[in-house]
Amino acid sequence: MSPQITPGQPRERVQARLPDGRIFEAPPGTPLAEIVRVANGTAEPPVVAAILNGRLCELTTPLNGDSSLTPLTLADADGMRVYRRSLIFLLVVAAHEVFPEAEIFVEHSATTAGAYYCEVRGHLPFTQAELQKIESRMREIAAADEPFVKTQAPLSEAVEIFRARGEEDKVRLMAHRQKNTLVLYSLRGHRDYLQGYMVPSTGYLKTFALHAFPPGFMLQFPHSARPTELAPITPYPKLFEVFEEAGHWLDRLGIRSVGALNDAIVAGRLPEISLVVEALHESRLSKIASAIADDRDRIKVVLIAGPSSSGKTTFSKRLAVQLLAHGLHPFPLSLDNYFVDREQTPRESYRPGDRIVAY
């Protein structure tokens, strides 16, 4: 037998190696939450999830073998998603306890500061005083540090839960699910489907606020750039108008939820829906072109902004066609044409007043 190879015994402890090189030992089965609590202590922002051997995991995940462990905080995109999802569940539970008849719908992101725009059905729009009652209940539940309990339920059982609560959008969504089981989370007896991981308990949810924004309200949370505080909210009325218009048209088409969209696809309605969407888009482009044409003496340049691959170039070409139809002669200029390969990109630092030449 090689002198370097000897019979071994089952190990009583397993190791977790952190990105900074520290190694922590624990008995097999120890939840990741306990390990990061020892590793990070009371450091802010708090750890809310982890990457275990390259995979995103909840902090309730047990450590069963030697592993690499990367704690995730609210400063990390995955950590922030876990925090926001958990906060939504806390909001739903608290609102149901204070106003049992109300049903909360999270519609869309609201501001760059960090907030979701929400609407309520089954109840008049919440006043700020009513929202304060809900927020107070949320903080009471958070202070009690109650657990989010994760279970795997038969799909039929989950559907009956949603149907009993009148949540037909979830019932329709589950009708197209391929698996016969569903992961549900429970908080204070309320079971729900959250489509992703959660924090272990409500005690992790410390930074949030509710603001009236008729006809709905805003659920505010920290931004990853400032994960321990709430930034001032600056609403964008025009963007909200676009979201509201989109919601109205989805209602008219009968596809406000993903489940309803799945039903429409199965029914063969996708070509019809696509044509309606194209018609609406072309109508909006025509209105924009008309507004530009009416003010042609003043407007000389139209700037189109958006994230990568959002359709800016396509939009500019379609707008150009509409402007031609209004008697103008636009010249679309795509900045993509002025990118150069990385090895040709200038690396010099520039000072105020320097002349910058694109080539």
Side-chain angles (χ1 to χ4, degrees):
M1 182 178 294
S2 169
Q4 297 181 351
I5 302 175
T6 59
Q9 298 295 325
R11 294 177 56 187
E12 296 181 357
R13 300 174 73 80
V14 291
Q15 295 184 345
R17 179 183 292 272
L18 273 63
D20 59 9
R22 291 182 296 163
I23 298 176
F24 292 88
E25 290 189 343
T30 300
L32 299 183
E34 295 186 20
I35 296 172
V36 298
R37 187 178 296 116
V38 173
N40 282 47
T42 58
E44 294 288 342
V47 175
V48 294
I51 301 292
L52 184 66
N53 296 327
R55 299 187 63 178
L56 178 64
C57 291
E58 294 173 298
L59 293 182
T60 53
T61 303
L63 183 70
N64 291 322
D66 292 351
S67 306
S68 62
L69 177 65
T70 302
L72 298 179
T73 71
L74 274 67
D76 302 293
D78 283 325
M80 180 57 75
R81 279 189 282 267
V82 170
Y83 185 89
R84 293 193 303 241
R85 188 181 300 115
S86 307
L87 189 60
I88 289 171
F89 194 20
L90 175 61
L91 166 65
V92 169
V93 171
H96 178 72
E97 292 184 359
V98 179
F99 300 101
E101 74 284 2
E103 189 174 3
I104 304 298
F105 289 84
V106 178
E107 295 291 337
H108 52 76
S109 59
T111 74
T112 55
Y116 284 141
Y117 174 72
C118 308
E119 290 187 351
V120 57
R121 300 176 193 173
H123 187 284
L124 293 175
F126 288 139
T127 64
Q128 188 61 49
E130 289 174 324
L131 289 172
Q132 187 58 50
K133 292 180 180 179
I134 297 174
E135 183 177 326
S136 296
R137 180 61 60 87
M138 292 174 68
R139 296 195 183 281
E140 290 172 3
I141 299 173
D145 196 22
E146 302 201 30
F148 291 102
V149 181
K150 181 179 182 179
T151 59
Q152 192 166 38
L155 186 61
S156 57
E157 179 183 334
V159 169
E160 287 306 312
I161 292 173
F162 302 145
R163 181 174 287 118
R165 294 203 297 250
E167 298 175 354
E168 291 301 320
D169 55 335
K170 292 180 182 177
V171 173
R172 298 173 79 174
L173 180 63
M174 294 302 113
H176 302 278
R177 184 174 174 81
Q178 301 298 314
K179 296 181 180 180
N180 58 7
T181 59
L182 188 70
V183 172
L184 298 178
Y185 286 87
S186 176
L187 175 63
R188 295 171 66 86
H190 183 93
R191 301 177 75 188
D192 216 333
Y193 175 54
L194 278 301
Q195 297 182 313
Y197 292 149
M198 307 279 284
V199 296
S201 62
T202 58
Y204 287 77
L205 308 174
K206 300 177 180 179
T207 309
F208 58 86
L210 299 180
H211 305 278
F213 194 81
F217 65 94
M218 290 190 188
L219 168 63
Q220 189 180 12
F221 43 80
H223 190 279
S224 57
R226 291 182 288 184
T228 60
E229 60 184 81
L230 297 177
I233 287 183
T234 304
Y236 298 94
K238 290 185 178 180
L239 181 60
F240 271 75
E241 289 177 9
V242 173
F243 280 128
E244 187 174 0
E245 181 186 31
H248 289 327
W249 275 106
L250 289 173
D251 285 334
R252 294 172 189 174
L253 291 171
I255 53 172
R256 189 60 183 263
S257 66
V258 175
L261 177 60
N262 288 337
D263 288 344
I265 293 172
V266 172
R269 292 185 56 210
L270 192 57
E272 167 202 339
I273 293 171
S274 299
L275 288 173
V276 172
V277 170
E278 282 294 314
L280 288 171
H281 190 52
E282 208 63 38
S283 174
R284 291 302 301 270
L285 279 166
S286 178
K287 290 180 181 179
I288 294 171
S290 179
I292 295 172
D294 290 343
D295 204 7
R296 67 185 70 191
D297 293 334
R298 186 180 65 87
I299 298 177
K300 303 301 180 183
V301 177
V302 177
L303 303 178
I304 302 169
S308 179
S309 301
S310 61
K312 298 183 295 296
T313 301
T314 302
F315 182 87
S316 68
K317 292 179 179 179
R318 296 179 70 167
L319 179 59
V321 171
Q322 290 289 343
L323 290 171
L324 284 169
H326 283 76
L328 301 180
H329 298 280
F331 180 77
L333 180 64
S334 173
L335 295 184
D336 290 348
N337 298 336
Y338 294 91
F339 286 141
V340 296
D341 293 336
R342 182 175 293 275
E343 59 271 14
Q344 295 179 301
T345 300
R347 292 182 175 82
E348 293 83 6
S349 60
Y350 294 99
R351 299 182 302 274
D354 285 349
R355 182 167 179 251
I356 302 175
V357 180
Y359 60 91

